[in-house]
mmCIF file of all heavy atoms in Angstrom:
data_model
loop_
_atom_site.group_PDB
_atom_site.id
_atom_site.type_symbol
_atom_site.label_atom_id
_atom_site.label_comp_id
_atom_site.label_asym_id
_atom_site.label_seq_id
_atom_site.Cartn_x
_atom_site.Cartn_y
_atom_site.Cartn_z
ATOM 1 N N GLY I 344 -20.297 37.678 10.064
ATOM 2 C CA GLY I 344 -20.146 36.577 11.007
ATOM 3 C C GLY I 344 -21.418 36.316 11.789
ATOM 4 O O GLY I 344 -21.743 35.163 12.130
ATOM 5 N N ILE I 345 -22.163 37.381 12.081
ATOM 6 C CA ILE I 345 -23.429 37.250 12.810
ATOM 7 C C ILE I 345 -24.508 36.661 11.912
ATOM 8 O O ILE I 345 -25.204 35.711 12.282
ATOM 9 C CB ILE I 345 -23.871 38.620 13.362
ATOM 10 C CG1 ILE I 345 -22.850 39.124 14.396
ATOM 11 C CG2 ILE I 345 -25.262 38.522 13.988
ATOM 12 C CD1 ILE I 345 -23.063 40.562 14.823
ATOM 13 N N PHE I 346 -24.651 37.210 10.707
ATOM 14 C CA PHE I 346 -25.752 36.797 9.828
ATOM 15 C C PHE I 346 -25.490 35.455 9.139
ATOM 16 O O PHE I 346 -26.422 34.688 8.896
ATOM 17 C CB PHE I 346 -26.019 37.884 8.777
ATOM 18 C CG PHE I 346 -26.691 39.092 9.342
ATOM 19 C CD1 PHE I 346 -25.984 40.260 9.561
ATOM 20 C CD2 PHE I 346 -28.036 39.064 9.684
ATOM 21 C CE1 PHE I 346 -26.604 41.382 10.093
ATOM 22 C CE2 PHE I 346 -28.666 40.176 10.220
ATOM 23 C CZ PHE I 346 -27.957 41.342 10.426
ATOM 24 N N TYR I 347 -24.230 35.179 8.831
ATOM 25 C CA TYR I 347 -23.901 33.937 8.137
ATOM 26 C C TYR I 347 -23.850 32.750 9.083
ATOM 27 O O TYR I 347 -24.230 31.629 8.716
ATOM 28 C CB TYR I 347 -22.555 34.097 7.420
ATOM 29 C CG TYR I 347 -22.042 32.859 6.713
ATOM 30 C CD1 TYR I 347 -22.860 32.112 5.867
ATOM 31 C CD2 TYR I 347 -20.727 32.426 6.881
ATOM 32 C CE1 TYR I 347 -22.387 30.984 5.216
ATOM 33 C CE2 TYR I 347 -20.247 31.298 6.233
ATOM 34 C CZ TYR I 347 -21.075 30.583 5.405
ATOM 35 O OH TYR I 347 -20.609 29.461 4.763
ATOM 36 N N VAL I 348 -23.417 32.972 10.328
ATOM 37 C CA VAL I 348 -23.213 31.861 11.262
ATOM 38 C C VAL I 348 -24.211 31.865 12.416
ATOM 39 O O VAL I 348 -24.982 30.917 12.601
ATOM 40 C CB VAL I 348 -21.769 31.885 11.830
ATOM 41 C CG1 VAL I 348 -21.590 30.765 12.849
ATOM 42 C CG2 VAL I 348 -20.750 31.755 10.715
ATOM 43 N N ALA I 349 -24.203 32.942 13.210
ATOM 44 C CA ALA I 349 -24.977 32.943 14.454
ATOM 45 C C ALA I 349 -26.485 32.887 14.208
ATOM 46 O O ALA I 349 -27.203 32.154 14.900
ATOM 47 C CB ALA I 349 -24.623 34.181 15.282
ATOM 48 N N LEU I 350 -26.967 33.654 13.243
ATOM 49 C CA LEU I 350 -28.415 33.705 13.015
ATOM 50 C C LEU I 350 -28.988 32.365 12.555
ATOM 51 O O LEU I 350 -30.000 31.902 13.110
ATOM 52 C CB LEU I 350 -28.744 34.817 12.022
ATOM 53 C CG LEU I 350 -30.235 35.065 11.763
ATOM 54 C CD1 LEU I 350 -30.955 35.389 13.062
ATOM 55 C CD2 LEU I 350 -30.425 36.180 10.749
ATOM 56 N N PRO I 351 -28.405 31.687 11.544
ATOM 57 C CA PRO I 351 -28.971 30.385 11.151
ATOM 58 C C PRO I 351 -28.969 29.355 12.279
ATOM 59 O O PRO I 351 -29.946 28.608 12.433
ATOM 60 C CB PRO I 351 -28.047 29.942 10.004
ATOM 61 C CG PRO I 351 -27.484 31.194 9.460
ATOM 62 C CD PRO I 351 -27.312 32.099 10.643
ATOM 63 N N ILE I 352 -27.892 29.312 13.057
ATOM 64 C CA ILE I 352 -27.845 28.348 14.167
ATOM 65 C C ILE I 352 -28.892 28.720 15.219
ATOM 66 O O ILE I 352 -29.519 27.853 15.834
ATOM 67 C CB ILE I 352 -26.430 28.273 14.770
ATOM 68 C CG1 ILE I 352 -25.444 27.737 13.722
ATOM 69 C CG2 ILE I 352 -26.410 27.368 16.005
ATOM 70 C CD1 ILE I 352 -24.002 27.696 14.169
ATOM 71 N N SER I 353 -29.111 30.027 15.424
ATOM 72 C CA SER I 353 -30.137 30.480 16.361
ATOM 73 C C SER I 353 -31.525 30.029 15.923
ATOM 74 O O SER I 353 -32.396 29.741 16.754
ATOM 75 C CB SER I 353 -30.106 32.007 16.481
ATOM 76 O OG SER I 353 -28.860 32.458 16.974
ATOM 77 N N LEU I 354 -31.746 29.970 14.611
ATOM 78 C CA LEU I 354 -33.050 29.565 14.082
ATOM 79 C C LEU I 354 -33.385 28.100 14.376
ATOM 80 O O LEU I 354 -34.545 27.692 14.254
ATOM 81 C CB LEU I 354 -33.106 29.808 12.578
ATOM 82 C CG LEU I 354 -33.205 31.277 12.141
ATOM 83 C CD1 LEU I 354 -33.078 31.382 10.622
ATOM 84 C CD2 LEU I 354 -34.511 31.897 12.605
ATOM 85 N N LEU I 355 -32.388 27.313 14.766
ATOM 86 C CA LEU I 355 -32.668 25.934 15.172
ATOM 87 C C LEU I 355 -33.635 25.891 16.345
ATOM 88 O O LEU I 355 -34.415 24.945 16.480
ATOM 89 C CB LEU I 355 -31.372 25.207 15.532
ATOM 90 C CG LEU I 355 -30.500 24.739 14.360
ATOM 91 C CD1 LEU I 355 -29.152 24.241 14.869
ATOM 92 C CD2 LEU I 355 -31.197 23.641 13.559
ATOM 93 N N SER I 356 -33.578 26.912 17.205
ATOM 94 C CA SER I 356 -34.528 26.976 18.329
ATOM 95 C C SER I 356 -35.954 27.119 17.834
ATOM 96 O O SER I 356 -36.887 26.534 18.397
ATOM 97 C CB SER I 356 -34.176 28.154 19.251
ATOM 98 O OG SER I 356 -32.950 27.946 19.904
ATOM 99 N N VAL I 357 -36.144 27.902 16.778
ATOM 100 C CA VAL I 357 -37.477 28.058 16.197
ATOM 101 C C VAL I 357 -37.975 26.723 15.670
ATOM 102 O O VAL I 357 -39.142 26.349 15.855
ATOM 103 C CB VAL I 357 -37.460 29.114 15.070
ATOM 104 C CG1 VAL I 357 -38.849 29.279 14.478
ATOM 105 C CG2 VAL I 357 -36.940 30.448 15.593
ATOM 106 N N ALA I 358 -37.086 25.976 15.012
ATOM 107 C CA ALA I 358 -37.458 24.650 14.509
ATOM 108 C C ALA I 358 -37.785 23.696 15.658
ATOM 109 O O ALA I 358 -38.773 22.952 15.604
ATOM 110 C CB ALA I 358 -36.323 24.077 13.661
ATOM 111 N N ALA I 359 -36.975 23.735 16.712
ATOM 112 C CA ALA I 359 -37.156 22.810 17.838
ATOM 113 C C ALA I 359 -38.488 23.026 18.552
ATOM 114 O O ALA I 359 -39.092 22.075 19.064
ATOM 115 C CB ALA I 359 -36.004 22.955 18.822
ATOM 116 N N PHE I 360 -38.968 24.275 18.589
ATOM 117 C CA PHE I 360 -40.205 24.582 19.303
ATOM 118 C C PHE I 360 -41.349 24.932 18.351
ATOM 119 O O PHE I 360 -42.346 25.535 18.759
ATOM 120 C CB PHE I 360 -39.966 25.747 20.268
ATOM 121 C CG PHE I 360 -39.058 25.406 21.413
ATOM 122 C CD1 PHE I 360 -37.697 25.673 21.347
ATOM 123 C CD2 PHE I 360 -39.548 24.797 22.561
ATOM 124 C CE1 PHE I 360 -36.848 25.355 22.405
ATOM 125 C CE2 PHE I 360 -38.713 24.469 23.616
ATOM 126 C CZ PHE I 360 -37.350 24.746 23.535
ATOM 127 N N SER I 361 -41.218 24.551 17.075
ATOM 128 C CA SER I 361 -42.220 24.932 16.080
ATOM 129 C C SER I 361 -43.575 24.284 16.316
ATOM 130 O O SER I 361 -44.598 24.739 15.792
ATOM 131 C CB SER I 361 -41.713 24.577 14.673
ATOM 132 O OG SER I 361 -41.438 23.190 14.564
ATOM 133 N N MET I 362 -43.630 23.216 17.103
ATOM 134 C CA MET I 362 -44.894 22.536 17.383
ATOM 135 C C MET I 362 -45.557 23.037 18.654
ATOM 136 O O MET I 362 -46.579 22.507 19.097
ATOM 137 C CB MET I 362 -44.673 21.024 17.475
ATOM 138 C CG MET I 362 -44.093 20.416 16.223
ATOM 139 S SD MET I 362 -44.168 18.626 16.227
ATOM 140 C CE MET I 362 -45.937 18.341 16.147
ATOM 141 N N GLY I 363 -44.945 24.054 19.281
ATOM 142 C CA GLY I 363 -45.495 24.583 20.529
ATOM 143 C C GLY I 363 -44.884 23.951 21.760
ATOM 144 O O GLY I 363 -45.201 24.333 22.891
ATOM 145 N N HIS I 364 -44.024 22.976 21.572
ATOM 146 C CA HIS I 364 -43.286 22.349 22.662
ATOM 147 C C HIS I 364 -41.924 21.924 22.118
ATOM 148 O O HIS I 364 -41.710 21.922 20.896
ATOM 149 C CB HIS I 364 -44.038 21.135 23.225
ATOM 150 C CG HIS I 364 -44.277 20.052 22.209
ATOM 151 N ND1 HIS I 364 -43.332 19.085 21.895
ATOM 152 C CD2 HIS I 364 -45.340 19.793 21.411
ATOM 153 C CE1 HIS I 364 -43.810 18.282 20.964
ATOM 154 N NE2 HIS I 364 -45.025 18.678 20.646
ATOM 155 N N TYR I 365 -41.029 21.542 23.026
ATOM 156 C CA TYR I 365 -39.700 21.127 22.587
ATOM 157 C C TYR I 365 -39.778 19.774 21.890
ATOM 158 O O TYR I 365 -40.224 18.787 22.458
ATOM 159 C CB TYR I 365 -38.740 21.039 23.770
ATOM 160 C CG TYR I 365 -37.373 20.502 23.403
ATOM 161 C CD1 TYR I 365 -36.573 21.182 22.483
ATOM 162 C CD2 TYR I 365 -36.890 19.326 23.960
ATOM 163 C CE1 TYR I 365 -35.323 20.699 22.132
ATOM 164 C CE2 TYR I 365 -35.627 18.843 23.621
ATOM 165 C CZ TYR I 365 -34.859 19.527 22.708
ATOM 166 O OH TYR I 365 -33.610 19.048 22.354
ATOM 167 N N SER I 366 -39.354 19.730 20.635
ATOM 168 C CA SER I 366 -39.359 18.496 19.853
ATOM 169 C C SER I 366 -37.928 18.099 19.506
ATOM 170 O O SER I 366 -37.352 18.619 18.551
ATOM 171 C CB SER I 366 -40.176 18.668 18.567
ATOM 172 O OG SER I 366 -40.034 17.525 17.734
ATOM 173 N N TYR I 367 -37.385 17.184 20.285
ATOM 174 C CA TYR I 367 -36.047 16.683 19.967
ATOM 175 C C TYR I 367 -36.075 15.906 18.649
ATOM 176 O O TYR I 367 -35.066 15.812 17.952
ATOM 177 C CB TYR I 367 -35.521 15.798 21.098
ATOM 178 C CG TYR I 367 -36.202 14.458 21.220
ATOM 179 C CD1 TYR I 367 -35.783 13.361 20.469
ATOM 180 C CD2 TYR I 367 -37.284 14.284 22.079
ATOM 181 C CE1 TYR I 367 -36.410 12.124 20.577
ATOM 182 C CE2 TYR I 367 -37.921 13.058 22.189
ATOM 183 C CZ TYR I 367 -37.478 11.984 21.436
ATOM 184 O OH TYR I 367 -38.101 10.773 21.533
ATOM 185 N N GLN I 368 -37.257 15.376 18.304
ATOM 186 C CA GLN I 368 -37.364 14.592 17.080
ATOM 187 C C GLN I 368 -37.041 15.431 15.839
ATOM 188 O O GLN I 368 -36.375 14.957 14.917
ATOM 189 C CB GLN I 368 -38.770 14.011 16.949
ATOM 190 C CG GLN I 368 -39.110 12.945 17.973
ATOM 191 C CD GLN I 368 -40.446 12.285 17.692
ATOM 192 O OE1 GLN I 368 -41.050 12.494 16.642
ATOM 193 N NE2 GLN I 368 -40.913 11.478 18.640
ATOM 194 N N ILE I 369 -37.523 16.666 15.810
ATOM 195 C CA ILE I 369 -37.276 17.519 14.647
ATOM 196 C C ILE I 369 -35.786 17.789 14.483
ATOM 197 O O ILE I 369 -35.245 17.712 13.375
ATOM 198 C CB ILE I 369 -38.063 18.840 14.774
ATOM 199 C CG1 ILE I 369 -39.559 18.568 14.623
ATOM 200 C CG2 ILE I 369 -37.603 19.852 13.726
ATOM 201 C CD1 ILE I 369 -40.441 19.793 14.792
ATOM 202 N N ILE I 370 -35.102 18.085 15.585
ATOM 203 C CA ILE I 370 -33.670 18.407 15.510
ATOM 204 C C ILE I 370 -32.854 17.166 15.162
ATOM 205 O O ILE I 370 -31.998 17.207 14.263
ATOM 206 C CB ILE I 370 -33.179 19.020 16.836
ATOM 207 C CG1 ILE I 370 -33.945 20.309 17.141
ATOM 208 C CG2 ILE I 370 -31.677 19.302 16.780
ATOM 209 C CD1 ILE I 370 -33.815 21.380 16.069
ATOM 210 N N ILE I 371 -33.104 16.067 15.844
ATOM 211 C CA ILE I 371 -32.345 14.844 15.561
ATOM 212 C C ILE I 371 -32.637 14.357 14.142
ATOM 213 O O ILE I 371 -31.718 13.976 13.393
ATOM 214 C CB ILE I 371 -32.666 13.744 16.587
ATOM 215 C CG1 ILE I 371 -32.139 14.149 17.972
ATOM 216 C CG2 ILE I 371 -32.051 12.411 16.160
ATOM 217 C CD1 ILE I 371 -32.473 13.165 19.082
ATOM 218 N N GLY I 372 -33.902 14.376 13.749
ATOM 219 C CA GLY I 372 -34.255 13.950 12.394
ATOM 220 C C GLY I 372 -33.600 14.816 11.344
ATOM 221 O O GLY I 372 -33.075 14.312 10.336
ATOM 222 N N LEU I 373 -33.617 16.127 11.578
ATOM 223 C CA LEU I 373 -32.971 17.070 10.654
ATOM 224 C C LEU I 373 -31.493 16.743 10.484
ATOM 225 O O LEU I 373 -30.975 16.702 9.362
ATOM 226 C CB LEU I 373 -33.161 18.488 11.204
ATOM 227 C CG LEU I 373 -32.734 19.708 10.397
ATOM 228 C CD1 LEU I 373 -33.452 20.941 10.945
ATOM 229 C CD2 LEU I 373 -31.233 19.956 10.458
ATOM 230 N N PHE I 374 -30.814 16.486 11.608
ATOM 231 C CA PHE I 374 -29.378 16.213 11.538
ATOM 232 C C PHE I 374 -29.082 14.840 10.945
ATOM 233 O O PHE I 374 -28.090 14.675 10.232
ATOM 234 C CB PHE I 374 -28.740 16.363 12.920
ATOM 235 C CG PHE I 374 -28.286 17.763 13.204
ATOM 236 C CD1 PHE I 374 -29.158 18.676 13.759
ATOM 237 C CD2 PHE I 374 -27.009 18.184 12.881
ATOM 238 C CE1 PHE I 374 -28.767 19.976 13.993
ATOM 239 C CE2 PHE I 374 -26.596 19.481 13.119
ATOM 240 C CZ PHE I 374 -27.484 20.392 13.675
#
Side-chain angles (χ1 to χ4, degrees):
I345 296 170
F346 287 105
Y347 177 48
V348 177
L350 185 57
I352 296 176
S353 299
L354 288 173
L355 283 171
S356 293
V357 180
F360 292 95
S361 59
M362 301 192 67
H364 60 84
Y365 175 61
S366 173
Y367 71 86
Q368 292 187 9
I369 290 177
I370 300 301
I371 293 177
L373 187 161
F374 271 88

